Amino acid sequence: MGALAGRNARADDGPHYAERPELALSAVLHLMSRFPASRSAAVADAVVDHLRLLCEDPRQPACVRETADQLIGEWCAYGALTDEALLPTGALPS
């Protein structure tokens, strides 16, 4: 599982979304911008984790929660498409 699974164990290591919920939105935008360069399943999984955080946070505007909810399926698919363990050899574009 991605960053969400270990979130509680690493609560002191990263951004404090509980105190500053806008940081979750900032983080997901940054992660999304890095995905094309890396095409990493780990980055896609982190995007999904952050989208879920946004969906579940009532302090986020409704439009942000709805958009995040709509994007989760797409980013799950991106993660699956880039997970080399799930693809036949040579299936990833270079």
Side-chain angles (χ1 to χ4, degrees):
M1 197 168 278
L4 191 61
R7 185 177 72 206
N8 291 335
R10 299 187 328 260
D12 293 332
D13 294 342
H16 296 279
Y17 298 147
E19 293 90 20
R20 298 202 45 210
E22 71 277 9
L23 292 178
L25 181 56
S26 178
V28 78
L29 292 172
H30 178 78
L31 288 165
M32 287 174 161
S33 74
R34 299 309 311 145
F35 181 78
S38 68
R39 290 183 277 171
S40 163
V43 172
D45 290 346
V47 168
V48 170
D49 290 343
H50 281 77
L51 290 171
R52 287 186 176 136
L53 286 170
L54 292 170
C55 284
E56 296 167 0
D57 190 341
R59 297 170 299 173
Q60 297 292 340
C63 63
V64 170
R65 293 191 318 267
E66 291 168 11
T67 300
D69 185 54
Q70 292 169 0
L71 292 172
I72 288 173
E74 289 182 42
W75 281 93
C76 285
Y78 295 151
L81 288 173
T82 57
D83 191 342
E84 294 182 41
L86 299 176
L87 296 174
T89 304
L92 287 177
S94 20

